[in-house]
Amino acid sequence: MMPPEEESPDGDRDGGLVLLHGPKSGSTRKGCDPFAQTQRSKLQHRRARINQQINKEMRMRAGAENLFRATSNHKVKETVALELSYVNSNLQLLKEELEELNSSVDVYQNDSESISVPMIPLGLKETKELDLLVPLKDFISEHYGEEGVLFEKEIKEFMELRQAMRTPSRNEAGLELLMEYYNQLYFLESRFFPPSKTLGVFFHWYDSLTGVPSHQRALAFEKGSVLFNLGALHTQIGARQDRASLPGLNQAIDAFQKAAGAFNYLKENFSNAPSLDMSAASLTMLVRLMVAQVQECVFEKMTLLRAQNDFLARLQLAQEAARVEDVYSLVHQTMSQPHVKDYVPFSWTTMVQVKSEHFKALSHYFAAIALCDCPAPSDAELLEQEKAFLQFHVTMPEGPSLRVLLQDPEERRKLGKAHLKKAIMKHEEAMRIHGLCKILRKMDILQEVLSFAHKRSLSKYSEIDHEEDFFETGEAPDIHPKTHQKPEIKSPNFSQVKVTDLFHRLGPLSVFSAKNKWYPARRVHLMRGENGFGFTLRGDSPVLIAGVIPGGCAAEAGLKEGDYIISVNGKDCKWSKHAEVVQLLKSTGKEGVDIGVITLQGSECPKAVDRKAAVMSSGSGMLKSNKENSRKSLMNSKSASTLLVWSKKSKRSKKSTYSGVPFTTVGDNEAMY
């Protein structure tokens, strides 16, 4: 992600992530009504209740385990052991209840009367309320030297945005709300999270799959959890689309691709997550699951677009179905890994396995009807069909040559019958696996889809089966998987949501950030001498004193190279352009001018500062590193795990004016006054 670039209070920038300044209202985006009794909100309320109960039981277990280790009294140990078994039993029941909740995929499906195979959506991670009022006010007072109480409005606005983010609506507005909050976290980190210390607040989030609570001081944990919810919300939007129509399928494909992108982005840029749902293994599984669901939608799209009575179209459908079986088989392998299977809902693993068998059956069914229902090719069609059939099977079927097979109706029927036999076997296996899961047995629509496909294959087999068939039906070779629309993993586009830096009044981030320290602000009174004030200025927002003439008015007043002008005659100049500060200085009368300045601690000499600023300007908006963990690990040394930290290279303007002074007395882009 490219961090947002700063603009002056009176100007916006088009394109990219735009930072707005000035007296503008905060976010108008709101979350859902937390008390609205929709099916989805009821599920989320149940999730929150279960999470709280799991948290309570885990605290009790931790206390009991500590007592068990500490005591040497045999009777106390027996009592504690009994209590531990009771707590563990409660935890197991709660986790089973949460698993059933995660398996309630039917709530997230569309209300269309058409029959579609259900998709697997994710529930949102829950978080506790967070009160930042006192910590941020204290930090503003200590670090920025401003009255913290003057920023209560901005702090409350940020907290309201966080509260709204907890209940996003299941549409584009909900996605934008999560994106807006995520982008605001960049500014919060830059303003209030220095590399050397923590803010003293903990971010609490519950695992989406297990309900186990985790907390960290690292803001990156908050970022990662919001990103997870962004992906989860995309899965819910994808699952609710009407996939019986082309627009609905395209929207479902887009949503699942964006979900895969969010989880993949989280996996690649965040590490050492404290919760299992954000571990690398879990995110890998989720990315693969989303890709498989995209591939399933592509197959459904093909069934709508292709002419079903065409030989080549049916071969393509068979290969598309084989591709869906292939990706679901990979998902099932991933879910079956030892460090994943323990916390992935059993119903998910079962549904993925059912879909793998179901689509393998469909691939053989479409191969059969291509052979049995389509007429033998004409001489003009033969070459094209031969070419397609050469790439159709993983291994060539036994029997006559390819040309004879395609032209002889009896040979086509024999191979078609073999494919149907395999299709029926796979349909029955899918139904058997489906029957093993109590939760899936309650899912009527899935049962209906499997039963319909099975009956269709049986009916076709009966139709082509002849009483005089004395040959033994051969083994149909597997079908080579192939897709005409490869799934795309779409990373989040953070620049699509414009945000306002809520704390812009603190000044430009290039100077007024948590990582910078400065000496207390100084107020200097200057009188204009014969040769002006005796200093050179450079840059914008804030304007830098790039040079001070020895013996001049500025030097005598105590101004130094590297000072930043923050006020002129009481007017705040942190965001002022170079020309605006110059105009304020030129309008000074005989009484002189009061200038407020700050000096950064450990600031280099002016030329080094300028060179650094030039480098920073040229690299503006680039990510400091991909993993970005090193700085945060220093910041949060007490935390066992750390996550990603974003950094920003500032962009500085170098516009200046000249006032008739010989070029030998000033540097490039400087002006003397």
Side-chain angles (χ1 to χ4, degrees):
M1 182 189 92
M2 295 180 69
E5 297 179 9
E6 293 185 281
E7 293 291 323
S8 62
D10 55 354
D12 298 341
R13 179 177 55 80
D14 293 330
L17 189 65
V18 178
L19 172 60
L20 305 174
H21 298 289
K24 301 191 180 183
S25 60
S27 171
T28 57
R29 300 186 179 98
K30 304 295 179 186
C32 292
D33 178 4
F35 300 106
Q37 293 299 300
T38 63
Q39 285 288 88
R40 177 171 162 267
S41 68
K42 286 178 182 177
L43 279 186
Q44 208 63 35
H45 288 155
R46 278 183 62 199
R47 182 185 297 278
R49 179 183 57 80
I50 294 169
N51 286 338
Q52 290 167 5
Q53 289 177 312
I54 288 175
N55 191 18
K56 178 183 174 184
E57 295 290 341
M58 289 189 70
R59 287 202 306 268
M60 290 176 63
R61 185 172 72 175
E65 287 173 344
N66 289 337
L67 180 58
F68 188 85
R69 286 192 292 265
T71 187
S72 56
N73 187 304
H74 184 66
K75 286 188 176 180
V76 172
K77 276 186 178 290
E78 282 186 353
T79 305
V80 173
L82 186 63
E83 183 66 24
L84 271 173
S85 66
Y86 176 72
V87 169
N88 285 329
S89 176
N90 281 349
L91 272 172
Q92 185 60 35
L93 289 172
L94 286 168
K95 287 182 178 180
E96 286 176 7
E97 190 178 349
L98 185 62
E99 180 181 339
E100 186 174 349
L101 201 67
N102 283 322
S103 304
S104 301
V105 300
D106 50 328
V107 172
Y108 297 97
Q109 310 302 315
N110 69 83
D111 298 326
S112 169
E113 293 182 1
S114 60
I115 299 173
S116 299
V117 181
M119 294 294 186
I120 297 177
L122 275 75
L124 301 181
K125 286 172 74 73
E126 287 285 336
T127 181
K128 291 184 178 180
E129 288 189 19
L130 184 65
D131 189 353
L132 290 169
L133 189 61
V134 173
L136 293 189
K137 281 167 61 178
D138 289 348
F139 190 87
I140 289 170
S141 299
E142 294 169 12
H143 186 79
Y144 291 97
E146 305 266 7
E147 288 290 334
V149 71
L150 299 177
F151 289 84
E152 280 190 2
K153 179 176 177 290
E154 287 90 340
I155 298 171
K156 288 177 179 176
E157 198 172 314
F158 179 83
M159 288 167 59
E160 286 170 5
L161 179 62
R162 188 181 191 273
Q163 185 65 21
M165 170 277 306
R166 296 175 66 187
T167 55
S169 54
R170 194 166 39 142
N171 52 28
E172 193 64 31
L175 295 171
E176 289 180 358
L177 175 61
L178 288 172
M179 290 276 242
E180 178 180 356
Y181 180 69
Y182 183 88
N183 287 337
Q184 279 294 347
L185 290 176
Y186 162 77
F187 293 109
L188 190 78
E189 181 177 52
S190 300
R191 297 284 191 192
F192 300 105
F193 285 79
S196 57
K197 62 183 245 185
T198 67
L199 194 60
V201 297
F202 282 95
F203 299 97
H204 294 258
W205 288 85
Y206 293 92
D207 191 297
S208 173
L209 300 176
T210 65
V212 175
S214 301
H215 64 271
Q216 279 195 345
R217 287 191 179 96
L219 187 68
F221 183 39
E222 179 92 344
K223 286 182 178 179
S225 299
V226 174
L227 263 180
F228 185 95
N229 275 358
L230 185 69
L233 193 58
H234 275 302
T235 69
Q236 295 181 13
I237 292 172
R240 75 178 300 188
Q241 301 304 320
D242 179 7
R243 304 199 317 274
S245 67
L246 199 56
L249 275 170
N250 286 331
Q251 288 169 358
I253 288 171
D254 184 61
F256 289 127
Q257 287 182 152
K258 287 178 177 175
F263 296 134
N264 192 59
Y265 188 89
L266 188 55
K267 177 171 72 79
E268 290 183 348
N269 292 283
F270 290 67
S271 60
N272 301 323
S275 59
L276 287 171
D277 57 354
M278 290 165 60
S279 66
S282 177
L283 293 171
T284 298
M285 178 271 294
L286 290 175
V287 170
R288 289 176 177 174
L289 175 61
M290 294 307 117
V291 167
Q293 295 192 149
V294 171
Q295 201 70 68
E296 184 178 347
C297 291
V298 170
F299 168 79
E300 292 173 337
K301 185 177 176 181
M302 288 282 292
T303 60
L304 286 181
L305 292 175
R306 301 285 171 164
Q308 301 259 347
N309 57 350
D310 178 67
F311 178 77
L312 294 178
R314 284 172 171 170
L315 291 188
Q316 288 174 352
L317 278 177
Q319 290 187 300
E320 285 285 356
R323 178 60 185 159
V324 179
E325 180 269 329
D326 205 34
V327 290
Y328 270 121
S329 179
L330 178 61
V331 176
H332 183 253
Q333 289 174 27
T334 312
M335 286 182 172
S336 302
Q337 291 175 0
H339 48 289
V340 178
K341 69 179 181 181
D342 294 335
Y343 58 87
V344 171
F346 178 65
S347 59
W348 286 17
T349 310
T350 308
M351 183 181 280
V352 163
Q353 193 177 4
V354 165
K355 286 191 174 189
S356 178
E357 298 293 341
H358 172 67
F359 281 98
K360 189 168 185 107
L362 288 184
S363 69
H364 286 284
Y365 169 77
F366 282 110
I369 62 169
L371 289 163
C372 299
D373 287 4
C374 297
S378 64
D379 292 340
E381 297 170 329
L382 184 59
L383 189 61
E384 188 180 9
Q385 291 193 10
E386 268 189 298
K387 185 180 177 182
F389 216 70
L390 272 171
Q391 302 172 357
F392 183 68
H393 290 106
V394 175
T395 56
M396 286 302 294
E398 296 178 1
S401 67
L402 188 57
R403 181 162 291 225
V404 172
L405 170 64
L406 289 173
Q407 290 182 316
D408 186 343
E410 182 59 21
E411 291 297 333
R412 288 167 71 111
R413 184 181 72 86
K414 285 181 182 180
L415 183 56
K417 189 176 178 181
H419 276 297
L420 275 174
K421 181 182 176 182
K422 201 161 190 177
I424 292 166
M425 288 170 59
K426 289 298 174 183
H427 281 311
E428 289 171 350
E429 179 64 8
M431 294 171 75
R432 184 191 69 80
I433 296 168
H434 171 266
L436 296 176
C437 181
K438 180 179 72 174
I439 293 172
L440 290 191
R441 286 200 302 269
K442 297 177 184 176
M443 208 174 292
D444 295 338
I445 190 166
L446 183 58
Q447 176 73 47
E448 198 173 340
V449 169
L450 296 177
S451 178
F452 171 79
H454 181 234
K455 288 175 181 175
R456 184 176 61 177
S457 293
L458 282 174
S459 173
K460 192 66 188 174
Y461 189 86
S462 300
E463 182 186 320
I464 66 169
D465 186 30
H466 296 169
E467 289 183 6
E468 62 272 16
D469 282 349
F470 296 109
F471 62 86
E472 185 177 342
T473 305
E475 179 77 12
D478 283 335
I479 293 156
H480 183 70
K482 185 179 178 182
T483 182
H484 290 74
Q485 184 179 335
K486 190 176 179 181
E488 178 187 352
I489 296 177
K490 293 185 176 180
S491 293
N493 180 15
F494 299 104
S495 63
Q496 73 184 32
V497 178
K498 297 181 179 182
V499 296
T500 301
D501 178 8
L502 296 175
F503 299 94
H504 71 274
R505 288 197 293 130
L506 290 172
L509 270 173
S510 57
V511 174
F512 301 96
S513 65
K515 68 180 180 180
N516 288 333
K517 293 182 179 179
W518 49 87
Y519 297 104
R522 312 190 314 276
R523 191 174 297 278
V524 176
H525 186 76
L526 279 181
M527 301 295 291
R528 188 193 297 273
E530 292 182 4
N531 295 318
F533 292 115
F535 55 57
T536 55
L537 303 181
R538 169 176 288 187
D540 292 324
S541 308
V543 172
L544 173 75
I545 296 177
V548 177
I549 297 175
C553 298
E556 290 178 1
L559 291 178
K560 294 178 285 187
E561 296 179 4
D563 283 349
Y564 287 99
I565 296 176
I566 59 172
S567 68
V568 176
N569 284 335
K571 177 179 170 55
D572 192 307
C573 293
K574 291 174 186 172
W575 282 105
S576 296
K577 297 286 189 184
H578 184 100
E580 293 170 348
V581 173
V582 169
Q583 187 58 42
L584 288 172
L585 292 172
K586 284 183 175 179
S587 62
T588 303
K590 293 181 180 179
E591 68 279 5
V593 61
D594 287 325
I595 300 178
V597 295
I598 60 164
T599 306
L600 289 181
Q601 293 184 18
S603 60
E604 304 95 335
C605 66
K607 292 187 183 297
V609 171
D610 296 341
R611 283 196 299 272
K612 182 179 176 184
V615 171
M616 292 171 77
S617 176
S618 65
S620 174
M622 297 301 293
L623 209 56
K624 188 172 183 180
S625 68
N626 190 30
K627 288 289 184 181
E628 300 179 288
N629 282 324
S630 55
R631 186 163 66 87
K632 187 61 105 182
S633 63
L634 292 173
M635 188 197 84
N636 194 20
S637 57
K638 292 185 180 179
S639 177
S641 307
T642 52
L643 289 168
L644 166 76
V645 182
W646 295 111
S647 77
K648 173 178 180 290
K649 297 183 179 178
S650 60
K651 186 172 183 177
R652 299 291 312 280
S653 170
K654 294 289 179 274
K655 288 185 284 186
S656 356
T657 18
Y658 293 88
S659 52
V661 184
F663 278 71
T664 54
T665 62
V666 293
D668 293 341
N669 294 330
E670 295 175 6
M672 179 175 284
Y673 303 98

